[in-house]
Amino acid sequence: MDPALTRNFSIIAHIDHGKTTLSDRLLEVTRTITERQKQDQLLDAMDLERERGITIKAHPVTMAYAARDGKTYQLNLLDTPGHVDFSYEVSRSLAACEGALVLVDAAQGVEAQTVANVQLAMNQNLMILPIINKIDLPGADPEKCRHQIEEVLALPGEDALLASAKEGIGIEDILEAIVERVPPPRLRGDDTLRASVFDSVFDSYRGVVSYVRVFSGTIEKGRRIRMMATGNDYEVKEVGVFTPKQSPRPALGPGDVGYLIANVKSTADVKIGDTVTDARKPAAEALPGFKEIHPMVFAGVYPVSSEDFEQLKLAIGKLQINDAALTFMAESSAALGFGFRCGFLGLLHMEIVLERLRREFGMDVISTYPGVVYEVDKTNGETQVIDNPLMLPEPQEIEEIREPLVKAFIMLPNEYIGDVLQLAMEKRGIVDHTETIDDGRVMLVCLLPLNEILVDFNDRLKSMTRGYGSMDYEHAGYQPAKLVRMDMLIAGEPVDAFATIVHRDKAASYGRKLAAKLKDVIPRQLFVVAIQAAVGGKIIARESIGAMRKNVTAKCYGGDITRKRKLLEKQKEGKKKMKAIGRVSIPQEAFIEVLKTSG
């Protein structure tokens, strides 16, 4: 295909603003799919994506479009996820494009994620086309959206196209705008092969399938290629494009987006953002790559039944093949047995991985309380990176602990600003500044500790603002904080599964909350069991589970009172002895119950 007739573009938007529905309509109008193949959310291949109505993996697809000028164009669309946890997928897709369609919901207007994704597109110098979607809704206000597009996104509002992906309104105009306004691929002067890998999946029959965007030169079957990050050479077995299924082609040329299959056995050999070049005539330098992805949230993942450890190892390994952001290493816990310490991009990513383990592999798993990565300066001059509370050094060895911060963009209606400011302060946040979006909404820019927003922040924001608030965040470095490790002791024994790193000011309230929860789920013993929260040997909260008591005086009726006293004293001695040597075994259900609801 002539590169001048090729257009590469992405669709970016806030979650639920209609990206996937618009992709479906574009595929229909360009007749890329037949009536028989038609279905909603066509590019969302996973059941989880369909159920939750979200996109998790970026899906490329190539369409042929006969434009009004009589020419046939090749349009390469890269559908992108909208959720904050998957923004690395968005940046990878944008690097393979020249243009981006920004969807704005005509009823809801510009949301937090829209702003973040437009920033990503601007950083890549892409041509941005604003589209106001869902104009068929009763609450649609396109003029207000045009104003927000100008004020918040700094894009010309009069250029915004009106559309309804669901009803098929304005789809032709969008296709024409892509052809006219998105520039063709920028070509390099030479014909040296340079292609960027923006994703990879594992096929159990054919090995690793790499998704590539060719910047110069051509790739065809039989060519020896080199991966520049690893220096390994491979022979190309097949190249092709997505229509949306994999369709083999003789070659991929400059500007093309497609896939290549070489004899690569493991996705560890394919680095996302790597440059593919010719093994015989390699490029002098690699294309500017993507940032390495670093997990920000860590949690222990354990099988409910210890015999399933090997099976869990295989299952997580298979998930990691298609998910470069998931990391794992083996660990053991006295309470939960053998399991893995897994790293995730965020809480939704963690939820999806755990759900996929349950569904696709039938694994019954339990995860510990999620935590973040801390930097610890020790008194001996060493700096340690901690992702597990049990690894935190003793207080006397610590010079300073730093926690990760996020810069959060929170959009909300004016009337809820007081409640949200209070929530931000409760979570130890600082409001940097506020921006007025229009007469009804504002955007708060806050600095918050990542640890504080992990579990319930988004849910509370949604319920506080009746569902109208939205949040997006980006990582903003580290700051020193007064953090301590809180251990839970049950009958004097620390239970490692419940250890957490908390802020010193919040340790007592969190300890009371967890102790009360444990009191409800630990079965009663024949002696009093103390549940204590401790920080550095100091008890900060306590609950007691009363003893089960056998009525030893039941057979004494009437007669001498001393007989009863003697029996009760004997019972008391027995309980004292039992308490000295007795151990409390916590049933698995108690761990599952507490760890499921911790928050």
Side-chain angles (χ1 to χ4, degrees):
M1 189 85 187
D2 179 2
L5 298 177
T6 299
R7 301 287 184 271
N8 296 321
F9 67 99
S10 274
I11 304 178
I12 54 178
H14 185 77
I15 190 167
D16 223 12
H17 277 201
K19 292 183 298 300
T20 306
T21 311
L22 179 60
S23 312
D24 293 346
R25 290 300 91 80
L26 294 175
L27 292 173
E28 283 168 28
V29 171
T30 57
R31 296 191 175 82
T32 305
I33 54 167
T34 60
E35 280 294 319
R36 197 166 59 82
Q37 293 170 306
K38 204 186 275 189
Q39 64 175 42
D40 286 344
Q41 293 173 261
L42 187 85
L43 295 182
D44 287 349
M46 275 186 235
D47 291 342
L48 262 177
E49 292 182 309
R50 296 176 167 285
E51 269 170 42
R52 290 174 176 240
I54 58 173
T55 302
I56 295 167
K57 292 292 285 177
H59 297 270
V61 62
T62 299
M63 303 174 280
Y65 172 60
R68 289 172 191 159
D69 61 7
K71 296 176 187 166
T72 299
Y73 290 84
Q74 177 177 290
L75 308 181
N76 294 318
L77 155 67
L78 289 97
D79 186 25
T80 60
H83 197 280
V84 61
D85 281 7
F86 302 109
S87 57
Y88 79 100
E89 291 267 352
V90 179
S91 65
R92 293 181 346 195
S93 300
L94 292 179
C97 297
E98 277 78 36
L101 309 184
V102 176
L103 284 195
V104 176
D105 187 314
Q108 294 179 355
V110 172
E111 295 276 8
Q113 198 92 37
T114 325
V115 180
N117 285 340
V118 167
Q119 281 318 173
L120 281 174
M122 285 177 168
N123 294 344
Q124 306 263 15
N125 298 321
L126 301 190
M127 174 69 204
I128 300 172
L129 304 182
I131 296 169
I132 298 170
N133 191 24
K134 305 192 185 183
I135 56 167
D136 57 313
L137 290 180
D141 189 345
E143 287 315 306
K144 189 170 158 189
C145 288
R146 281 188 202 276
H147 177 69
Q148 288 181 11
I149 286 168
E150 289 203 352
E151 291 297 311
V152 185
L153 303 179
L155 297 170
E158 68 273 7
D159 289 357
L161 301 166
L162 300 181
S164 165
K166 190 178 173 191
E167 299 297 326
I169 301 166
I171 305 301
E172 284 277 355
D173 296 341
I174 292 172
L175 286 164
E176 286 297 324
I178 291 166
V179 166
E180 287 166 23
R181 285 153 62 180
V182 173
R186 295 182 281 271
L187 299 179
R188 292 172 176 261
D190 57 2
D191 58 357
T192 306
L193 172 60
R194 293 183 193 86
S196 175
V197 179
F198 63 88
D199 208 349
S200 68
V201 295
F202 186 77
D203 183 309
S204 45
Y205 298 105
R206 304 193 291 174
V208 177
V209 180
S210 303
Y211 294 7
V212 294
R213 153 74 201 268
V214 182
F215 284 89
S216 62
T218 55
I219 308 178
E220 66 282 330
K221 185 179 173 180
R223 180 179 281 229
R224 296 284 299 170
I225 56 165
R226 177 169 298 161
M227 299 288 186
M228 292 186 81
T230 59
N232 295 339
D233 291 359
Y234 302 99
E235 186 182 330
V236 178
K237 298 293 182 195
E238 185 185 308
V239 294
V241 296
F242 298 93
T243 64
K245 302 273 184 288
Q246 292 175 7
S247 307
R249 292 282 161 94
L252 292 178
D256 284 347
V257 172
Y259 67 91
L260 77 87
I261 298 170
N263 46 358
V264 186
K265 301 288 185 290
S266 148
T267 44
D269 299 333
V270 179
K271 296 270 184 279
I272 303 302
D274 195 359
T275 301
V276 176
T277 188
D278 193 312
R280 295 183 187 86
K281 193 181 143 194
E285 78 237 10
L287 294 162
F290 305 94
K291 299 194 292 278
E292 274 283 317
I293 313 154
H294 296 294
M296 293 305 292
V297 174
F298 285 81
V301 176
Y302 293 85
V304 168
S305 163
S306 52
E307 296 95 77
D308 294 340
F309 174 75
E310 284 301 323
Q311 204 181 331
L312 178 62
K313 186 178 179 179
L314 277 174
I316 298 179
K318 282 183 182 169
L319 282 186
Q320 194 189 33
I321 281 171
N322 286 344
D323 188 346
L326 173 66
T327 63
F328 71 100
M329 58 188 282
E331 71 168 7
S332 64
S333 148
L336 299 170
F338 290 101
F340 296 95
R341 189 88 189 153
C342 297
F344 309 95
L345 292 169
L347 227 63
L348 179 78
H349 185 213
M350 172 175 162
E351 209 180 301
I352 288 203
V353 167
L354 296 179
E355 188 64 28
R356 287 182 70 188
L357 284 173
R358 288 187 188 107
R359 283 197 191 187
E360 296 172 25
F361 302 97
M363 296 298 310
D364 207 358
V365 293
I366 169 176
S367 69
T368 62
Y369 193 79
V372 297
V373 183
Y374 299 97
E375 290 179 351
V376 179
D377 286 347
K378 293 168 74 174
T379 47
N380 63 4
E382 280 178 39
T383 297
Q384 213 173 331
V385 175
I386 304 287
D387 61 33
N388 187 339
L390 301 173
M391 308 299 287
L392 194 69
E394 291 303 315
Q396 62 273 17
E397 293 175 30
I398 298 172
E399 185 75 45
E400 181 180 80
I401 305 181
R402 290 183 297 280
E403 63 180 350
L405 277 185
V406 292
K407 186 177 187 180
F409 306 93
I410 303 170
M411 294 206 175
L412 64 150
N414 291 345
E415 61 265 33
Y416 303 116
I417 193 164
D419 295 345
V420 175
L421 284 172
Q422 203 171 337
L423 175 65
M425 283 165 68
E426 184 192 317
K427 297 290 185 185
R428 301 191 286 118
I430 301 163
V431 178
D432 193 39
H433 63 276
T434 59
E435 289 176 22
T436 305
I437 296 170
D438 54 36
D439 49 10
R441 295 198 311 157
V442 290
M443 178 163 84
L444 302 181
V445 180
C446 313
L447 283 172
L448 290 155
L450 177 61
N451 187 22
E452 294 282 349
I453 65 166
L454 271 188
V455 179
D456 61 346
F457 188 85
N458 216 16
D459 294 345
R460 286 180 62 188
L461 174 70
K462 287 283 180 203
S463 58
M464 243 175 215
T465 58
R466 309 283 186 278
Y468 288 108
S470 68
M471 180 183 85
D472 184 71
Y473 61 81
E474 58 188 41
H475 297 290
Y478 280 77
Q479 74 167 12
K482 296 182 203 157
L483 298 168
V484 291
R485 182 172 107 200
M486 189 181 80
D487 291 304
M488 295 306 292
L489 311 178
I490 293 172
E493 295 277 322
V495 180
D496 55 3
F498 298 130
T500 50
I501 295 175
V502 290
H503 194 269
R504 187 175 290 146
D505 300 347
K506 292 191 163 193
S509 64
Y510 182 68
R512 280 196 294 274
K513 194 166 127 191
L514 198 52
K517 213 175 276 183
L518 283 168
K519 184 183 176 183
D520 293 341
V521 295
I522 292 176
R524 289 170 76 185
Q525 311 290 317
L526 288 168
F527 51 92
V528 175
V529 175
I531 300 170
Q532 297 163 311
V535 170
K538 184 182 170 193
I539 305 298
I540 55 169
R542 175 187 167 122
E543 290 280 349
S544 296
I545 301 173
M548 284 195 288
R549 182 162 173 255
K550 183 183 174 188
N551 187 359
V552 288
T553 61
K555 58 181 181 285
C556 302
Y557 44 92
D560 189 0
I561 188 76
T562 54
R563 171 86 179 123
K564 287 186 178 179
R565 281 214 187 111
K566 200 171 170 186
L567 287 168
L568 288 169
E569 284 301 318
K570 195 175 168 189
Q571 185 186 37
K572 199 188 280 183
E573 285 302 311
K575 282 185 183 288
K576 199 180 280 181
K577 188 178 174 186
M578 197 182 283
K579 192 170 181 179
I581 60 165
R583 287 179 61 89
V584 180
S585 62
I586 306 168
Q588 190 78 37
E589 297 73 57
F591 283 109
I592 294 171
E593 196 54 43
V594 172
L595 293 170
K596 261 186 192 163
T597 55
S598 281

